[in-house]
Amino acid sequence: MAMTMATTATGVLAFSSDPLPSSSSKVCRSSIVAVSCVSHCVCSATSGSTSTVTEQANSQKFSYSRASPSVRWPNLKLNENYPPSQRPTHVVEDVGLFENTHDSVGKEEIREIGEAGLELGDEPLEILGKTSKNRVKKMTKLALKRAKDWRERVQFLTDRILGLKSEEFVADVLDDRKVQMTPTDFCFVVKWVGQSSWQRSLEVYEWLNLRHWYSPNARMLATILSVLGKANQEALAVEIFARAEPAAGNTVQVYNAMMGVYARTGRFGKVQELLDLMRSRGCEPDLVSFNTLINARLKSGALVPNLGIELLNEVRRSGIQPDIITYNTLISACSRESNLEEAVKVYDDMVAHHCQPDLWTYNAMISVYGRCGISREAGRLFKELESKGFLPDAVTYNSLLYAFAREGNVEKVKDICEEMAKMGFGKDEMTYNTIIHMYGKRGQHDRVLQLYNDMKMSDRSPDAVTYTVLIDSLGKANMMKEAAEVMSEMLNAGVKPTLRTFSALICGYAKAGKRVEAEKTFNCMLRAGIKPDHLAYSVMLDILLRFSDSEKAMKLYQEMVLNSFKPDHALYEVMLRVLKKENREEDIHKVVKDMEELCSMNAQVICSILVKGECFDHAANMLRLAISQGCELDRENLLSILGSYGSSGRLSEARELLDFLREHSSGSLQLIKESLIIMLCKADQLDDAIREYTEARDFGLFCGSFTMYESLLQRCEENELFAEASQIFSDMRFYGVEPSNDLYQGMVCTYSKMGFPETAHYLIEQAEEKGLLIDDASIYTSVIEAYGRLKLWQKAESLVGSLRQKSKMVDRKVWNALIHAYAASGCYERARAIFNTIMRDGPSPTVDSINGLMEALIVDGRLDELYVVIQELQDLGFKISKSSIMLMLDAFARAGNIFEVKKIYNGMKAAGYFPTMHLYRIMIGLLAKGKRVRDVEAIVSEMEAAGFKPDLPIWNSMLKLYTGIGDFKKTAQVYQLIQEAGLKPDEDTYNTLILMYCRDRRPEEGLSLMHEMRRVGLEPKLDTYKSLISAFGKLLLLEQAEELFEGLLSKECKLDRSFYHLMMKMYRNSGNHSKAEKLLGAMKEAGVEPTIATMHLLMVSYGGSGQPEEAEKVLDNLKVEGLSLSTLPYSSVIDAYLKNGDYNIAIQKLMEMKKDGLEPDHRIWTCFVRAASLSQRTSEAIILLKALQDTGFSLPIRLLTEKSNSLVSEVDNCLEKLGPLEDNAAFNFVNALEDLLWAFELRATASWVFQLAVKWSIYRHDVFRVAEKDWGADFRKMSAGAALVGLTLWLDHMQDASLQGYPLSPKSVVLITGTAEYNMVSLNITIKAFLWEMGSPFLPCKTRTGLLVAKAHSLRMWLKDSSFCLDLELKDSPSLPESNSMQLMEGCFIRRGLVPAFKDITERLGDVRPKKFARLALLPDEKRDKVIRADIKGGEEKLEKMMKKVGVKRRKLVRRKLIRGAVLPRPVELYQKKKS
């Protein structure tokens, strides 16, 4: 009973592949799997004391009703006409879920192989209605008469002996001699008595020997040996066998019986010794001997490959053919160990040698297929046995049921149960237990409890297996309260818990972390007299260690070791780790000693366990000792040791260990090198690992192992070292190391990220050719995305096509990747076709799919169709997501469409989509580029109100905005806000600030900021250097500019031609034409070839310095070099002569150009027209313009001399032709023409020329505007004449608006002049002089240079009341003046009559207000002189009064000690500064 309960419990736990799925106790996991492999034979071979205790503990005998053939085959109506002691001859010991209970009838058959032959030698024995082939010897009639009632005599004597009380003796029955017995009868008495009490059986045997009532024979000896063997009394059996007389003992039956004794406990060595002893004594083994030998070998240990075939061949070598029992023994052993490969080999050998399988063979094969999870084959065998004429029995059905229950096939289990019912088989305990366990594994605990109740309702008594299954399932589900209740029900039902029951409950408590309950259960098990097994000890030891109770853990460990149980490696690791944390060095030494002596572990294994237990010092010493003793390095152990060292960061100690191994194990250099590389990879020391690998590869030390390549590749992929990964993978394949599926997938992703999708695609195909299945959709997605980035959508399309051929349903991610691949090339129609395909066939499109469609339109530049597509998608029921709207907004933002962006932004907010930080960045960046100051400031305020703080990119956009519009004060404020927010400026921040300083003509501060930028580790952009050089050049700070330029050259920066041109312009403006020449040589040395534009700059430099002859030499050199010249170099020379006043030479050069085959173009026209506009006398202007007329261009002179209406259309046609030309041809020509017309008082003509320029977009349409609350003008980049024309027209428009009262003006009116010069003319000074002469209310802006601002009210009053504004209409003079009405004076294009007054006022008074300037300019010279002197004298008197007041205040402050800083500048100093 005890054995049955134990083994059935084993079967339950064997069915459970993972009793503790959580990480609560890995010991429980490994231990249960180990216990599940133990067969009931091993359980039955425990010590006699254990068996006795267990028998006493189980008073209720387990019986299996289907032991009877009439029950097993209810449809055959068989009669039971054989004694109850007989057993079927073919047994499958391990069928289905509960391996031992299935064959509770026949489980002793293999153990009785020895005695079966003895019984069959005397009497005919009927088995399943068939007569045995063994025949009895002929006897006399008297013997035959006695033989007819031998069963009654044996039974009579057996009953009397078993009915004796404990104090009575067998001799009292035997001496009575109420029945006459033969020696054979006494053999059966010994056997039948031994079935109930081996002690009484031995007493009968000893009494018979003492009385000498029979001559000792082999049969009697074999019988008593068999009885003692069944009772696990090996020592008594050995003693009886040893003292047996040679005549009786030297027979095959006795040897077989004794081998059976040893076979029961799996003592294969003893069985082998007996077999050799038989042969040495001349007793040849028979088939039973070999079957017993095979049985002993199978019980002695696990099956090794080809063991079954080797054992069969050994039988054949002895001249004996294996029979069905031999094969069934081997197949049953394979079934117990779930060794399908060996079972199939034995079965095939059986068929090949024409040994027909019987029902038990089929049962065993069905069992092994079921255990290995191949239910299809189990079903096939079931059909095959029916086709062979065998009738399935209960074992067959339960084995088949187990096969499908194991894989959780509920429907098939139900079908088998229905078929069993049709065949007359009801659900028995085994069936219920199997199904209960199936549902328990599926977590359907309600169904489990329902089956449990059904089982009780069906008069099926739950046994220990049932309760164990329930407790095990509930424990795994962490339902420990319910599990405890089941244990209580088990005890109330009178079913004794088995070892497995207690173990399941302890495991459940351990998983739940309930240490106290686990300890109580363990102690209860001990009190019940059940000795813990390996699992129970391991679980309790693990839970104690997890709670760091090392004291109790060590006591339990010692008890475990004393009972011959050894912890596994994982448990030793946990134990050592806990002991190390508590610094229990003595216990560590003891554990290490136990591992070495009790577990027979070698030094390397112990070292690995020590390292995993974080006992590094002990591990290193152990490994050194092992190597010193000549042990070879084990690869896996060394890798484990170094891996643990690497993960714990103890690299120096690991290297010391490797150095020691390198010295003492010279034959393992390759392994040591590989181990070092793997350890460095695990320690994230990838650079060192790659260096070691490269050195080893270059020196040809080794080709490397898979583990090493895997470690290197995985680390390279994690650190995005794709080039290195590619090289290592190539080496791996070159050396013939086969990659795994994971490595193939990793390298596919790597090559995709590197931009080599073709290589990645090839790897996929190669992996598939090798039978490796790549079923991860993300792998294919990465390749398709890489194809998309390279715009190879055709190849991406082919990859998806191959996927569609392999599987009916392609993953949604793959479809989306293909849509995006099309989108990257702007293939909207193809992307839409894929979208429609997945709409039709599935899987349904996602937001990513929709975004792909929109991206295709965006890339194709079809932004206007976005709204159409969105409407179509909405009609199809799709909701447009926030990401899609963001995609649209970003597209319009990149296109610079502010109107659409603002519309989408407002629509988002109206739809309830709250803006994100990214959206704010996009909006502010776009509006900043569009210089929409108010909009930017409004969004920043909205953003802060929403709880978002502007980040650095947003501040950078605002810096660029204010820098772009020249509001440098706000730029500085933004930078201050960046610092207050604790943000660290980046490159954009510094570059923008430096640009701001350059534009504000403060390059020294920009240079200082650049030095600060470098100190924080940031390198300025080349454009920043260019801006600084340009700013220094404009201020003629040549040393600083040259220092920056030479610094770039010293850094070996690759400067483009623009840097050299910038320096040439600087030298040109400063008149250093010699440096310009040197720069030209340096430019050639740097490998930058000068162009015509370069030579043009050099010539302009000569021309600007008044050396037109040098410019002409450069032109002559260009001609000598045979270059194909345009009008550009000629225009440089001609312009140089014109600026120098050498008009005749300029005209001469014009004629030479024409002779050289070049027709004058816009460049030449512009030079002559500009020179004419600056000529002092009208006659000089006419000469210059006639020179143009002689070359075929008469329009300028006709504008001066004619009054034809056709001139308008001619100028219109001319501007239309000049518009598309490069070098701002139309702009420069119109500017020169406007200067000419204004200078010679043809201002009405200048007005309509100005309007034609606006028409052809040569000038901006909004150059001046008078709109609702937006009066303003921007004359930057215009010539002085054009600006004066535009200014007059603007004033006229504002005057009309002031008189009409509409449109309304803003509070202030801004006029932008800029600070740049155009052809050495300052627009800012020119316009100020013009407005100051008129006494206008415009004043310079205090915060920004290049701006004039007037209060709107003052401006309107001035326009209405001022005499200067009475007639603002532009008119042509009736005749040309004799001289130019304008004069260029120190960069100011000013009215010639105003020049003396302008000089007098500005030189003596400096900057004065416009009205004061106008009054002084209108005064005669003498009166103006008196007024200026009086003004200066009044200023001096005022200054003296201020000095006296400041002196008094200063003395008071000193006395009161209130001075806190530097003294204010003296008024006199301020005045002198102002005056200067």
Side-chain angles (χ1 to χ4, degrees), residues 557-704:
Y557 165 71
Q558 292 170 4
E559 180 184 336
M560 181 179 182
V561 171
L562 287 175
N563 290 323
S564 301
F565 294 111
K566 305 168 187 175
D568 58 10
H569 292 188
L571 190 54
Y572 270 126
E573 292 168 14
V574 177
M575 187 184 307
L576 289 168
R577 191 176 297 115
V578 172
L579 295 175
K580 182 63 178 176
K581 286 181 181 178
E582 298 183 5
N583 294 322
R584 301 184 60 152
E585 293 294 330
E586 293 183 5
D587 290 334
I588 292 175
H589 285 293
K590 183 181 184 310
V591 170
V592 171
K593 184 177 180 181
D594 289 344
M595 286 191 290
E596 187 175 2
E597 296 178 357
L598 298 179
C599 301
S600 301
M601 297 182 189
N602 60 43
Q604 290 176 344
V605 174
I606 296 173
C607 183
S608 176
I609 295 173
L610 285 167
V611 171
K612 291 176 182 177
E614 300 179 5
C615 301
F616 301 104
D617 297 329
H618 297 82
N621 294 334
M622 182 64 68
L623 184 58
R624 287 187 176 92
L625 177 62
I627 297 303
S628 301
Q629 293 174 352
C631 296
E632 293 185 1
L633 273 177
D634 180 82
R635 176 185 181 81
E636 295 302 324
N637 288 338
L638 181 59
L639 291 179
S640 298
I641 294 168
L642 293 179
S644 299
Y645 270 124
S647 60
S648 60
R650 301 182 63 175
L651 298 182
S652 59
E653 297 182 27
R655 288 184 180 275
E656 290 178 6
L657 179 61
L658 287 174
D659 292 339
F660 175 84
L661 297 177
R662 195 176 289 111
E663 293 176 4
H664 295 81
S665 183
S666 57
S668 304
L669 293 179
Q670 177 176 337
L671 175 58
I672 293 170
K673 179 64 75 172
E674 287 183 17
S675 302
L676 175 60
I677 294 171
I678 294 170
M679 181 201 67
L680 291 172
C681 290
K682 290 184 178 180
D684 289 330
Q685 302 287 330
L686 184 57
D687 294 337
D688 294 339
I690 293 176
R691 184 175 62 255
E692 294 286 347
Y693 166 76
T694 305
E695 291 176 359
R697 182 195 61 194
D698 294 343
F699 285 107
L701 295 180
F702 66 100
C703 63

Side-chain angles (χ1 to χ4, degrees), residues 952 955 972-985 990 993 1009 1012:
L952 191 60
W955 290 126
Q973 291 174 354
V974 170
Y975 181 61
Q976 186 177 357
L977 290 174
I978 291 175
Q979 292 177 320
E980 290 175 356
L983 299 175
K984 187 177 181 181
Y990 283 112
L993 289 171
L1009 190 62
E1012 179 185 341

Side-chain angles (χ1 to χ4, degrees), residues 1126-1331:
S1126 65
T1127 59
L1128 180 63
Y1130 283 100
S1131 68
S1132 303
V1133 175
I1134 291 171
D1135 190 56
Y1137 279 115
L1138 290 173
K1139 288 180 178 178
N1140 204 39
D1142 298 329
Y1143 295 152
N1144 293 329
I1145 299 176
I1147 294 172
Q1148 180 183 349
K1149 296 303 173 186
L1150 173 63
M1151 298 306 167
E1152 289 180 5
M1153 183 187 77
K1154 194 165 184 182
K1155 287 180 183 179
D1156 291 339
L1158 286 175
E1159 290 294 329
D1161 62 0
H1162 61 88
R1163 296 189 184 95
I1164 305 298
W1165 302 341
T1166 302
C1167 289
F1168 275 87
V1169 172
R1170 186 184 296 120
S1173 69
L1174 296 176
S1175 60
Q1176 293 184 5
R1177 306 185 65 80
T1178 305
S1179 57
E1180 294 175 350
I1182 296 296
I1183 292 172
L1184 292 173
L1185 297 179
K1186 278 187 176 180
L1188 286 180
Q1189 187 179 25
D1190 294 340
T1191 60
F1193 186 62
S1194 61
L1195 184 61
I1197 195 170
R1198 290 177 60 204
L1199 285 171
L1200 282 183
T1201 58
E1202 297 181 8
K1203 303 294 183 181
S1204 173
N1205 293 331
S1206 64
L1207 288 173
V1208 177
S1209 60
E1210 290 183 29
V1211 172
D1212 190 49
N1213 292 333
C1214 178
L1215 296 182
E1216 182 181 5
K1217 293 177 181 177
L1218 291 177
L1221 299 181
E1222 60 182 5
D1223 296 335
N1224 294 322
F1227 183 79
N1228 292 328
F1229 178 72
V1230 171
N1231 275 341
L1233 200 58
E1234 289 287 319
D1235 286 347
L1236 176 69
L1237 295 173
W1238 184 271
F1240 291 98
E1241 299 183 356
L1242 296 174
R1243 292 170 184 173
T1245 304
S1247 176
W1248 61 258
V1249 171
F1250 186 93
Q1251 293 172 10
L1252 287 177
V1254 172
K1255 170 188 173 183
W1256 291 109
S1257 299
I1258 298 171
Y1259 295 151
R1260 298 189 313 277
H1261 290 272
D1262 60 347
V1263 64
F1264 62 82
R1265 55 200 173 277
V1266 182
E1268 183 72 23
K1269 294 185 179 181
D1270 188 16
W1271 297 9
D1274 185 356
F1275 298 129
R1276 286 177 295 181
K1277 296 185 180 180
M1278 288 186 176
S1279 67
L1284 293 174
V1285 171
L1287 176 63
T1288 307
L1289 293 174
W1290 181 50
L1291 293 174
D1292 186 48
H1293 280 70
M1294 288 193 294
Q1295 186 182 57
D1296 293 343
S1298 299
L1299 294 173
Q1300 295 173 6
Y1302 182 83
L1304 298 176
S1305 67
K1307 292 182 179 180
S1308 299
V1309 179
V1310 178
L1311 168 61
I1312 303 175
T1313 61
T1315 58
E1317 294 184 354
Y1318 181 80
N1319 286 318
M1320 297 180 294
V1321 176
S1322 171
L1323 192 61
N1324 186 40
I1325 300 175
T1326 300
I1327 291 179
K1328 282 170 64 176
F1330 182 81
L1331 291 173

Side-chain angles (χ1 to χ4, degrees), residues 669-828:
L669 293 179
Q670 177 176 337
L671 175 58
I672 293 170
K673 179 64 75 172
E674 287 183 17
S675 302
L676 175 60
I677 294 171
I678 294 170
M679 181 201 67
L680 291 172
C681 290
K682 290 184 178 180
D684 289 330
Q685 302 287 330
L686 184 57
D687 294 337
D688 294 339
I690 293 176
R691 184 175 62 255
E692 294 286 347
Y693 166 76
T694 305
E695 291 176 359
R697 182 195 61 194
D698 294 343
F699 285 107
L701 295 180
F702 66 100
C703 63
S705 65
F706 171 80
T707 306
M708 183 196 73
Y709 286 117
E710 182 183 39
S711 301
L712 284 169
L713 290 173
Q714 287 178 350
R715 288 300 180 188
C716 287
E717 292 166 13
E718 291 171 1
N719 290 273
E720 297 186 354
L721 298 176
F722 301 132
E724 290 80 357
S726 176
Q727 180 61 53
I728 293 169
F729 186 71
S730 300
D731 295 342
M732 178 181 184
R733 299 180 69 189
F734 176 77
Y735 289 119
V737 181
E738 284 297 324
S740 65
N741 197 344
D742 291 339
L743 282 188
Y744 268 117
Q745 295 186 27
M747 289 309 300
V748 168
C749 292
T750 296
Y751 282 117
S752 298
K753 292 174 183 176
M754 291 175 69
F756 300 126
E758 294 93 343
T759 308
H761 195 169
Y762 171 73
L763 286 181
I764 291 176
E765 294 175 348
Q766 192 176 50
E768 290 174 349
E769 288 176 1
K770 294 181 179 180
L772 300 176
L773 179 62
I774 299 179
D775 54 359
D776 188 352
S778 62
I779 303 299
Y780 295 98
T781 301
S782 65
V783 179
I784 295 169
E785 288 173 349
Y787 276 133
R789 288 192 292 271
L790 296 178
K791 295 181 171 50
L792 299 174
W793 55 266
Q794 298 91 342
K795 294 186 177 181
E797 196 175 59
S798 67
L799 178 57
V800 176
S802 63
L803 277 177
R804 295 188 73 182
Q805 292 177 356
K806 296 174 188 175
S807 59
K808 295 181 180 179
M809 183 66 72
V810 178
D811 192 273
R812 182 186 289 109
K813 293 179 182 177
V814 175
W815 286 122
N816 288 343
L818 182 59
I819 289 175
H820 283 279
Y822 287 136
S825 300
C827 302
Y828 169 74

Side-chain angles (χ1 to χ4, degrees), residues 930-1118:
K931 298 180 180 178
R932 307 287 287 269
V933 180
R934 294 179 181 175
D935 290 337
V936 170
E937 292 174 347
I939 289 185
V940 171
S941 299
E942 176 188 328
M943 174 183 175
E944 291 176 338
F948 291 99
K949 291 184 179 180
D951 58 3
L952 191 60
I954 290 177
W955 290 126
N956 285 343
S957 298
M958 296 187 70
L959 284 174
K960 292 175 183 177
L961 167 65
Y962 292 128
T963 301
I965 64 175
D967 194 344
F968 305 132
K969 182 178 179 180
K970 285 192 176 180
T971 305
Q973 291 174 354
V974 170
Y975 181 61
Q976 186 177 357
L977 290 174
I978 291 175
Q979 292 177 320
E980 290 175 356
L983 299 175
K984 187 177 181 181
D986 61 0
E987 291 182 2
D988 281 348
T989 312
Y990 283 112
N991 287 323
T992 306
L993 289 171
I994 293 171
L995 179 62
M996 181 267 292
Y997 284 124
C998 293
R999 291 184 178 179
D1000 200 24
R1001 304 174 72 85
R1002 296 153 60 190
E1004 297 91 348
E1005 297 179 48
L1007 183 61
S1008 175
L1009 190 62
M1010 177 182 282
H1011 294 324
E1012 179 185 341
M1013 182 180 180
R1014 285 175 177 168
R1015 281 196 297 271
V1016 297
L1018 299 176
E1019 186 62 29
K1021 295 191 298 186
L1022 286 178
D1023 288 341
T1024 304
Y1025 282 101
K1026 192 183 296 183
S1027 300
L1028 275 173
I1029 292 172
S1030 177
F1032 281 122
K1034 289 178 181 178
L1035 298 178
L1036 298 180
L1037 300 173
L1038 303 185
E1039 292 182 4
Q1040 291 88 334
E1042 289 175 343
E1043 182 181 351
L1044 285 173
F1045 183 75
E1046 291 171 0
L1048 290 174
L1049 293 177
S1050 63
K1051 292 179 182 179
E1052 298 183 354
C1053 296
K1054 192 172 183 180
L1055 304 180
D1056 58 13
R1057 194 173 285 107
S1058 63
F1059 275 91
Y1060 294 96
H1061 288 181
L1062 187 63
M1063 294 297 295
M1064 281 189 172
K1065 288 179 183 177
M1066 185 182 68
Y1067 292 136
R1068 176 196 67 188
N1069 296 336
S1070 63
N1072 288 328
H1073 56 273
S1074 59
K1075 287 189 176 181
E1077 289 180 2
K1078 293 180 181 179
L1079 185 64
L1080 182 65
M1083 183 178 179
K1084 293 179 180 178
E1085 291 177 1
V1088 181
E1089 287 298 323
T1091 61
I1092 297 297
T1094 311
M1095 308 310 295
H1096 168 71
L1097 286 173
L1098 184 60
M1099 287 187 283
V1100 170
S1101 175
Y1102 284 125
S1105 61
Q1107 301 182 44
E1109 297 83 3
E1110 297 296 327
E1112 187 176 357
K1113 288 180 182 179
V1114 175
L1115 176 62
D1116 293 339
N1117 291 334
L1118 292 175

